[in-house]
Amino acid sequence: MAENNKTVATVEHTPSGEHASGFPPFNSQTFPSQLIWLALSFILLYVLMSKLALPRIGSILEEREKHIEGDIAAADRLKKQSDEAIAAYEKALADARANAQAIAAETRSKQLAESEAMRKKLEDQLSARLAEAEKTIAKTKEAAMSNVRGIAVDTAKAIVERLIGTSPADAAVAGAVTDALKR
Amino acid sequence: MADPIHQFQIVNLIPIAHVGGSEIAFTNSAAFMVVIAGGLTAFLLGATSKRRLVPSRLQSAAELSYEFVASTIRGTAGTEGMRFFPFVFTIFMFVLAANMIGIIPYTFTVTSHIIVTAALAITVFLVVLIYGLWSHGFHFFNLFIPKGVPIYILPLIVAIEILSFMSRPISHSVRLFANMLAGHITLQVFAAFIILMSAHGILGWTGAVLPFAMIVILMALEALVAFLQAYVFAILTCIYLNDAIHPGH
């Protein structure tokens, strides 16, 4: 394997055989070829990297970053929108609740006032009728009382007539009854 | 056959020209360099060709490599270091691919040659030096004058700083080269044990299980080292570039 037929640089250029078995990395005969090909391939690689590959990868990374930033911004915007919607909804809810309470309070006070008014009216009516009834009672009582006096005078006159046989004077009887009623 | 050095042999595949006393040829090393450059380009461009918003696995891998290098630079050299992003990215991916391909048996490891790692390290060194001088002028040399050092030991400190600055490309390149070299030699040695032992009948076959298990473990270790050394090479590049960008410590 070592003795292949390819020309070994060291063998070709050093007539004395002992250098051929020297340490290859220190064989200066091979340096010019290595340097030239290193320069060529390195410069070629450098140009290809700096002009083609690296700008392309850089732009890909930049694009991705921009895309991600755009997405994050859009997400932020949407979140803000949803927050606003939630706030609006809550405000509407609070408004509606306040409205409902106001309506309830108004209705309650209206009904209270109405019932109060009705009660007053009824009370007034009742008290009027009561007063009227009391008046009627008083009148009736008075009439009854005056009737009682008449009956008493008549009865007294009749009793006296029976007892003594003569009818006493009306004035005397009336005076006596009045005196008796006063006692 | 079991020569552990053989895997590092440079083989001329296509001779191209003679310049001075040395020959220029398309070698096995060159072939792997071209494969690395081509493979990386095909991977990174192919994986991202559809520009998916939600990446596929391959595209994800390509993006991962991009973001990994980018965050390494930002972490060590700041945002201003990003102007060297293509440079650091190319270095990291080139070294990583070279190291990773090298783990595959029968392949050639480009970064196991000191001349390659030294060339890369010197390139980094020169970029740091030239950019530092170009953007900061003479103030770049403030790098060698740490703040808050008493004046009587300053000359010594400056001398040490300069020495450490000059020796950077050496440590930078030898670290990668030596790691790759040592790892591959170790693998080869254990592989040679298997062949040696299995030549001795059934007992040898049973015994060869041990070095084989060792190779399995070492393969995992080498994969880690391959990544780690590429990362270390790249992060040192970033740290050195940081000196060029902010020389005032």
Side-chain angles (χ1 to χ4, degrees):
Chain A
M1 190 184 177
E3 263 61 64
N4 53 18
N5 45 17
K6 276 170 187 161
T7 52
V8 176
T10 49
V11 174
E12 203 176 14
H13 286 282
T14 44
S16 52
E18 56 261 32
H19 275 288
S21 56
F23 191 49
F26 295 155
N27 183 349
S28 60
Q29 288 291 337
T30 64
F31 287 180
S33 295
Q34 290 201 66
L35 283 176
I36 282 171
W37 287 103
L38 175 67
L40 280 176
S41 54
F42 190 82
I43 290 167
L44 180 75
L45 186 64
Y46 178 81
V47 170
L48 285 169
M49 292 297 108
S50 61
K51 297 288 175 226
L52 283 176
L54 295 178
R56 186 191 280 181
I57 299 175
S59 75
I60 290 172
L61 293 175
E62 204 173 309
E63 237 166 69
R64 179 172 311 144
E65 204 166 309
K66 246 183 229 162
H67 196 94
I68 289 170
E69 268 171 19
D71 281 1
I72 288 174
D76 270 356
R77 209 176 53 242
L78 289 174
K79 191 182 176 296
K80 214 184 227 174
Q81 277 180 4
S82 80
D83 280 354
E84 274 166 14
I86 287 171
Y89 160 77
E90 268 171 4
K91 194 173 173 296
L93 198 66
D95 280 359
R97 199 170 283 152
N99 226 356
Q101 274 173 353
I103 289 170
E106 200 185 323
T107 312
R108 200 186 304 127
S109 64
K110 209 165 105 188
Q111 281 179 346
L112 212 65
E114 253 171 37
S115 68
E116 189 73 10
M118 194 107 95
R119 195 171 62 87
K120 207 164 187 190
K121 204 168 132 199
L122 276 173
E123 268 180 7
D124 282 357
Q125 275 179 1
L126 282 175
S127 60
R129 279 170 73 176
L130 204 67
E132 215 169 284
E134 274 173 355
K135 226 185 264 171
T136 314
I137 289 165
K139 219 186 264 173
T140 314
K141 200 178 168 186
E142 205 174 305
M145 287 308 270
S146 65
N147 283 352
V148 165
R149 195 171 169 273
I151 290 164
V153 169
D154 283 350
T155 310
K157 200 175 168 184
I159 291 167
V160 168
E161 201 176 350
R162 264 285 182 82
L163 286 172
I164 63 173
T166 57
S167 174
D170 283 351
V173 175
V177 167
T178 308
D179 280 350
L181 279 172
K182 268 180 191 162
R183 243 180 277 148
Chain B
M1 184 182 189
D3 177 15
I5 302 300
H6 176 256
Q7 56 179 325
F8 305 114
Q9 201 67 258
I10 297 282
V11 179
N12 287 351
L13 301 178
I14 307 163
I16 292 174
H18 283 272
V19 179
S22 54
E23 187 183 23
I24 308 298
F26 187 76
T27 63
N28 54 349
S29 170
F32 275 98
M33 288 176 191
V34 171
V35 165
I36 289 162
L40 282 175
T41 308
F43 160 58
L44 288 168
L45 290 182
T48 56
S49 64
K50 287 186 180 155
R51 300 172 150 271
R52 283 179 225 256
L53 191 65
V54 178
S56 60
R57 286 180 195 192
L58 266 183
Q59 189 183 324
S60 204
E63 288 172 8
L64 195 72
S65 62
Y66 180 102
E67 284 179 331
F68 179 70
V69 177
S71 71
T72 304
I73 297 177
R74 285 202 194 95
T76 48
T79 330
E80 293 153 80
M82 284 306 279
R83 71 182 57 189
F84 293 106
F85 178 54
F87 180 61
V88 178
F89 186 83
T90 309
I91 284 190
F92 174 70
M93 293 307 272
F94 188 88
V95 173
L96 180 67
N99 295 353
M100 285 297 185
I101 288 175
I103 301 175
I104 303 165
Y106 297 108
T107 56
F108 180 83
T109 314
V110 172
T111 43
S112 69
H113 275 249
I114 182 75
I115 185 69
V116 171
T117 61
L120 289 174
I122 288 167
T123 308
V124 171
F125 182 78
L126 288 179
V127 166
V128 167
L129 201 65
I130 291 165
Y131 179 79
L133 287 172
W134 174 76
S135 68
H136 297 285
F138 196 70
H139 289 293
F140 177 64
F141 295 111
N142 285 349
L143 186 63
F144 304 130
I145 308 165
K147 285 194 184 84
V149 175
I151 192 78
Y152 52 90
I153 57 163
L154 198 59
L156 183 68
I157 295 291
V158 168
I160 291 170
E161 288 279 335
I162 290 171
L163 200 67
S164 89
F165 183 79
M166 300 309 270
S167 63
R168 274 175 182 181
I170 300 170
S171 64
H172 201 187
S173 58
V174 169
R175 183 179 295 110
L176 175 59
F177 155 71
N179 268 287
M180 287 303 112
L181 190 80
H184 284 78
I185 290 177
T186 317
L187 280 175
Q188 189 77 42
V189 166
F190 277 101
F193 283 166
I194 298 177
I195 295 163
L196 279 176
M197 289 168 96
S198 57
H200 296 91
I202 194 78
L203 202 69
W205 277 90
T206 358
V209 169
L210 277 171
F212 186 76
M214 211 47 211
I215 281 191
V216 172
I217 295 164
L218 279 175
M219 275 289 193
L221 183 73
E222 277 307 295
L224 178 73
V225 168
F227 170 78
L228 214 61
Q229 286 304 320
Y231 179 63
V232 166
F233 201 89
I235 207 161
L236 282 173
T237 302
C238 291
I239 290 167
Y240 298 160
L241 286 170
N242 183 43
D243 282 346
I245 299 163
H246 314 104
H249 273 288

